[in-house]
């Protein structure tokens, strides 16, 4: 995909339900969004990164009841756990939206009103199955052994309800997918959505009248908006829609990438564009549905007692290590199995051995044997220019991967540079040159420091703490840590601080 230089970039995560504490599944989507946001910021694009919590609906009302709390008090409490994962995981969101905010509620109602004004909503009665866990309606044919296809329990619901005329949007949706082949990724998910829409759409119940924890339907306070309609609109209400001159909406909405798990693809790929079309509003540009993490071979669930929290990972392995593992281990789009053994293996191999040792070896050597300053290079050999060209060319490659949300490939690409640099150290043997050819040794160290500069900048969206440490140790001024300074040569003679290790090796603990 091509994109104009410096165009704004908008990335969203799903807004998470506040019925439960955050686990690594939530952390996964948020870290992925953060990597994209950080990359584009380094690339000089204005970035808006949105995350938040989905706080209405029957599921939340019931969870609050169970906890013996008023729903607002309950959502305040649990939403805080989600806000806490940002500092924990070094997430750099621009805005954390809560659907109980007044501005959001007004925005959701304004969208409802547009759907009414355009004649796409009618009042009728819903009689069918509803799964509170999924906050989704199911018809008889979809049930498997009396449960939702997701395994969730269903209950029979019969109540007055407003409907959205979804069935009328089938052809328009299909035409939209056709005209915008990049709208849904990965390809397999796109095909799934297309066949679902081709199989026929039924009108969608978009209000509930048997409970009250939701956004009131305009002009009919007996109903609250269906939580998914309320929730989906967060992506534009967070930008100030429908305020007049909502600058963020104008600037960012045309450039949105929605990241979601495959569980909620249908809501984003079918309902959301249909709502927007019906409201005469522009559609999102891109939707990426990633896969599911399982734990030690089993689905993560509270009842199995195998949930891994972001805090567990950060405390045990470190922030950068957690971020890197989740981004690198599994192709973005596929399902992944989390295991402690895989985590330790990956962290030790890629971070401690490959990147950590490279940096430590080179910088300690410069510190001890090259006056603790960027060395003065002599003439470059073919091997030198080859390494520098290799690491320089990683940036355009990385841009393509980021544009495809191929986050695992992005990591792979950067670490190919790490491997090249390690091969170069082994081949050039600066420790041997120290006696045989000290001038050449300086050139080799200069080339290595330059390659490490490239690699640290490229790694920084994924491992921001380590990248900062490395760039500090290379004495790169803070304001120069962007891709517009990527090709700048290091200044010989610039003093370097005493290096310290960036990635400690992890030792196995009991039970790992
Ligand atoms: O669905 N593996 O909220 P939710 C990978 N409120 N990702 C996972 C995961 C796992 N095991 N578990 C959760 C909702 N996720 C709605 C969204 S958006 C307008 C409304 C991630 O709390 C993944 O991104 O159930 C998934 O789509 C999301 O959390 C579901 O979060």
């Amino acid at each position: 995909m091509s994109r104009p230089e410096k165009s704004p970039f908008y990335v969203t995560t799903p807004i998470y339900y506040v019925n439960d504490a955050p686990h690594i599944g939530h952390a996964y989507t948020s870290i992925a969004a953060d990597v994209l946001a950080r990359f584009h910021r380094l690339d000089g694009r204005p970035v808006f990164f949105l995350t938040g919590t989905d706080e209405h609906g029957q599921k939340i009302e019931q969870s609050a009841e169970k906890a013996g709390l008023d729903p607002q008090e309950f959502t305040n409490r649990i939403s805080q756990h989600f806000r806490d994962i940002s500092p924990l995981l070094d997430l750099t969101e621009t805005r954390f939206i809560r659907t109980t905010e007044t501005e959001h509620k007004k925005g959701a109602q304004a969208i409802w009103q547009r759907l009414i004004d355009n004649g796409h909503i009618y009042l009728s009665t819903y009689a069918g199955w509803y799964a509170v866990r999924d906050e989704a309606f199911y018809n008889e044919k979809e049930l498997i052994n009396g449960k939702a296809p997701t395994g969730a329990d269903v209950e029979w619901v019969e109540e007055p309800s407003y409907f959205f005329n979804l069935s009328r949007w089938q052809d328009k949706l299909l035409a939209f997918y056709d005209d915008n082949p990049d709208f849904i990724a990965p390809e397999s998910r796109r095909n799934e959505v297309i066949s679902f829409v081709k199989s026929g759409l039924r009108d969608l119940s978009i209000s509930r009248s048997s409970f009250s924890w939701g956004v009131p339907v305009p002009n009919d306070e007996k109903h609250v908006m269906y939580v998914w309609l309320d929730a989906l609109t967060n992506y534009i209400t967070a930008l100030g829609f429908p305020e007049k001159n909502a600058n963020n909406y104008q600037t960012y909405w045309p450039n949105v990438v929605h990241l979601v798990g495959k569980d909620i693809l249908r809501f984003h790929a079918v309902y959301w564009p249909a709502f927007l079309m019906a409201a005469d509003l522009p559609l999102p540009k891109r939707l990426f549905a990633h896969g599911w993490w399982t734990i030690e071979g089993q689905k993560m669930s509270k009842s199995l007692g195998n949930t891994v929290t972001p805090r567990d990972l950060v405390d045990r392995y470190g922030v950068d290590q957690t971020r890197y593992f989740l981004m690198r281990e599994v192709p973005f789009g596929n399902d992944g199995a989390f295991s402690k053994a895989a985590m330790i293996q990956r962290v030790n191999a890629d971070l401690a051995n490959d990147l950590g040792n490279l940096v430590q070896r080179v910088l300690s050597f410069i510190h001890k044997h090259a006056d603790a300053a960027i060395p003065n290079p002599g003439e470059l050999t073919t091997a030198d220019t080859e390494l520098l060209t290799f690491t320089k060319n990683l940036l355009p490659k990385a841009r393509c991967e980021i544009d495809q949300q191929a986050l695992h490939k992005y990591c792979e690409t950067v670490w190919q540079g790490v491997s090249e640099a390690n091969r170069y150290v082994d081949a050039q043997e600066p420790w041997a040159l120290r006696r045989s050819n000290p001038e050449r040794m300086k050139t080799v160290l200069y080339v290595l420091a330059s390659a490490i500069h490239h690699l640290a900048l490229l790694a920084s969206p994924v491992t921001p703490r380590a990248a900062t440490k490395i760039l500090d140790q290379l004495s790169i001024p803070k304001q120069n840590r962007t891709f517009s300074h990527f090709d700048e040569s290091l200044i010989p003679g610039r003093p370097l601080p005493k290096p310290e290790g960036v990635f400690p090796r992890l030792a196995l603990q009991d039970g790992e």
Side-chain angles (χ1 to χ4, degrees):
M1 264 180 299
S2 66
R3 57 174 169 73
E5 281 298 299
K6 315 279 186 230
S7 59
F9 176 73
Y10 180 29
V11 63
T12 68
T13 72
I15 46 172
Y16 305 115
Y17 285 128
V18 289
N19 64 313
D20 211 346
H23 57 65
I24 65 164
H26 306 115
Y28 184 51
T29 324
S30 293
I31 292 170
D34 189 62
V35 171
L36 297 179
R38 285 177 181 267
F39 184 94
H40 288 302
R41 277 191 212 112
L42 286 178
D43 221 4
R45 296 176 74 178
V47 168
F48 199 105
F49 165 16
L50 176 70
T51 187
T53 41
D54 188 354
E55 306 192 357
H56 291 128
Q58 208 172 358
K59 169 149 93 172
I60 308 301
E61 193 182 75
Q62 287 178 357
S63 305
E65 239 166 58
K66 246 192 232 153
L69 291 172
D70 154 78
Q72 188 61 60
E73 206 183 325
F74 178 76
T75 58
N76 290 347
R77 184 179 294 185
I78 310 284
S79 170
Q80 186 59 46
H81 298 320
F82 283 89
R83 274 172 281 157
D84 289 344
I85 69 168
S86 297
L88 181 73
L89 295 168
D90 288 345
L91 305 179
T92 56
E93 74 268 13
T94 318
R95 168 132 160 69
F96 188 103
I97 191 173
R98 300 182 54 190
T99 52
T100 47
E101 289 169 19
T102 310
E103 288 311 308
H104 166 76
K105 289 193 270 189
K106 279 198 216 151
Q109 286 173 328
I111 292 161
W112 178 285
Q113 196 55 49
R114 287 176 80 106
L115 297 175
I116 289 269
D117 294 346
N118 292 348
H120 301 302
I121 291 183
Y122 61 91
L123 183 61
S124 181
T125 301
Y126 178 78
W129 297 101
Y130 192 78
V132 177
R133 195 180 86 189
D134 303 343
E135 295 285 19
F137 302 95
Y138 292 105
N139 64 32
E140 190 72 41
K141 276 190 267 160
E142 285 175 291
L143 301 191
I144 302 168
N145 299 328
K147 296 211 180 226
T150 56
D153 287 335
V154 290
E155 61 187 35
W156 184 257
V157 169
E158 218 166 311
E159 62 187 12
S161 172
Y162 285 95
F163 281 76
F164 170 68
N165 62 4
L166 183 63
S167 57
R168 282 224 250 136
W169 298 94
Q170 180 172 347
D171 291 343
K172 290 208 171 67
L173 283 168
L174 290 170
F176 174 67
Y177 306 141
D178 217 39
D179 294 344
N180 298 277
D182 291 329
F183 172 55
I184 304 167
E187 183 78 19
S188 55
R189 301 277 164 231
R190 174 171 189 266
N191 296 337
E192 240 174 71
V193 169
I194 293 177
S195 51
F196 170 74
V197 173
K198 277 193 177 151
S199 73
L201 297 174
R202 288 174 315 134
D203 288 355
L204 182 70
S205 163
I206 51 162
S207 77
R208 302 290 316 271
S209 51
S210 50
F211 65 92
S212 59
W213 183 240
V215 178
V217 162
N219 304 317
D220 192 347
E221 305 252 324
K222 287 195 292 300
H223 292 250
V224 289
M225 284 169 60
Y226 171 41
V227 64
W228 268 102
L229 174 53
D230 157 9
L232 287 162
T233 63
N234 94 90
Y235 298 129
I236 59 176
T237 64
L239 299 178
F241 182 88
E243 277 163 42
K244 291 235 161 22
N245 310 321
N247 281 339
N248 283 333
Y249 175 68
Q250 309 296 345
T251 306
Y252 290 104
W253 180 244
N255 300 292
V256 70
V257 175
H258 290 311
L259 298 186
V260 298
K262 63 180 183 179
D263 48 323
I264 54 174
L265 177 63
R266 189 179 294 181
F267 299 94
H268 285 81
V270 182
Y271 301 168
W272 181 222
F275 293 148
L276 288 167
M277 279 181 193
D280 265 333
L281 291 170
L283 270 50
K285 189 159 139 196
R286 171 91 162 169
L287 176 58
F288 194 102
H290 64 67
W292 271 70
W293 280 95
T294 53
I295 301 287
E296 314 282 349
Q298 280 179 309
K299 190 168 175 236
M300 212 183 335
S301 93
K302 258 194 146 182
S303 49
L304 288 170
N306 62 353
T307 358
V308 175
T309 69
R311 160 97 34 219
D312 295 335
L313 294 186
V314 169
D315 288 350
R316 169 69 182 100
Y317 309 102
V319 185
D320 280 358
Q321 288 86 340
T322 300
R323 294 171 59 105
Y324 179 76
F325 175 80
L326 292 176
M327 293 301 101
R328 174 65 184 84
E329 189 68 6
V330 172
F332 202 56
N334 292 9
D335 291 340
F338 177 84
S339 84
K340 293 173 186 164
M343 174 99 188
I344 289 173
Q345 155 72 22
R346 179 62 79 185
V347 164
N348 282 340
D350 296 9
L351 301 183
N353 291 354
D354 293 350
L355 180 58
N357 273 352
L358 169 72
V359 173
Q360 181 70 14
R361 278 209 283 181
V362 171
L363 295 184
S364 320
F365 201 79
I366 293 180
H367 198 77
K368 281 201 201 118
H369 305 297
D371 306 325
I374 298 285
N376 210 347
E379 211 172 309
L380 300 190
T381 65
T382 314
D384 302 343
T385 43
E386 265 172 15
L387 177 65
L388 291 179
T389 312
F390 191 93
T391 54
K392 247 184 212 177
N393 286 343
L394 295 176
L395 178 57
K397 223 172 146 205
R399 280 197 183 104
C400 293
E401 279 141 9
I402 287 287
D403 280 346
Q404 302 291 326
Q405 297 82 42
L407 292 162
H408 60 297
K409 282 202 195 149
Y410 172 64
C411 297
E412 238 173 77
T413 295
V414 180
W415 262 258
Q416 274 165 12
V418 174
S419 303
E420 281 305 308
N422 274 317
R423 264 196 285 279
Y424 174 91
V425 189
D426 293 342
Q428 300 298 322
E429 299 185 310
W431 46 89
L433 292 171
R434 186 158 80 91
R435 293 197 195 291
S436 64
N437 191 347
E439 282 313 300
R440 175 67 194 147
M441 174 195 79
K442 285 187 191 158
T443 309
V444 166
L445 292 175
Y446 180 84
V447 168
L448 280 165
S450 306
I452 290 172
H453 170 228
H454 289 152
L455 296 171
L457 274 176
L458 285 166
S460 72
V462 186
T463 55
R465 290 191 183 197
T468 302
K469 266 196 185 168
I470 298 171
L471 294 167
D472 286 347
Q473 296 183 26
L474 284 172
S475 295
I476 305 292
K478 292 243 180 332
Q479 69 278 12
N480 290 1
R481 297 175 185 186
T482 67
F483 293 148
S484 60
H485 296 275
F486 188 77
D487 285 346
E488 278 171 15
S489 304
L490 299 183
I491 300 166
R494 182 178 279 167
L496 301 183
K498 189 172 178 346
E500 20 164 307
V502 273
F503 287 117
R505 257 190 91 77
L506 296 174
L508 277 179
Q509 291 179 349
D510 281 352
E512 290 175 338

